[in-house]
């Protein structure tokens, strides 16, 4: 995606490591283990948490970690 002109790109792959590429580099991070109860809304939660973290001034490393942690919490929660 970066080669195609995108300034930044974030790619997830379920329980596999996610990646965030930006002009200064690439960071990969594995999601924390989570007891999956529901995947409904997981992508939306990830994107929202990542955007909020970036808006709050977090670098790509911290934003990716925060989004993965927030998503893990979301998919493991008891209430639908």
């Amino acid at each position: 995606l970066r080669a195609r002109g995108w300034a930044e790109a974030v790619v997830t792959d379920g329980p596999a490591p996610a990646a965030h590429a930006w002009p200064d580099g690439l960071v990969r991070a594995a999601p924390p283990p989570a007891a999956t109860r529901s995947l409904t809304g997981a992508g939306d939660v990830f994107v929202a948490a990542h955007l909020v973290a970036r808006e709050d001034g977090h670098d790509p490393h911290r934003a990716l970690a925060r989004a993965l942690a927030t998503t893990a919490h979301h998919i493991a929660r008891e209430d639908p």
Side-chain angles (χ1 to χ4, degrees), residues 43-79:
D44 295 334
V45 167
F46 178 89
V47 170
H50 190 269
L51 290 173
V52 167
R54 293 293 279 150
E55 181 67 23
D56 285 348
H58 294 292
D59 66 25
H61 299 270
R62 181 71 182 127
L64 186 60
R66 180 176 276 187
L68 290 169
T70 301
T71 304
H73 175 76
H74 172 77
I75 67 171
R77 74 187 201 289
E78 294 278 338
D79 56 347

Side-chain angles (χ1 to χ4, degrees), residues 12-43:
T12 63
D13 185 15
H20 182 159
W22 72 101
D24 294 335
L26 172 71
V27 62
R28 291 186 183 118
T36 304
R37 300 199 188 282
S38 174
L39 295 175
T40 301

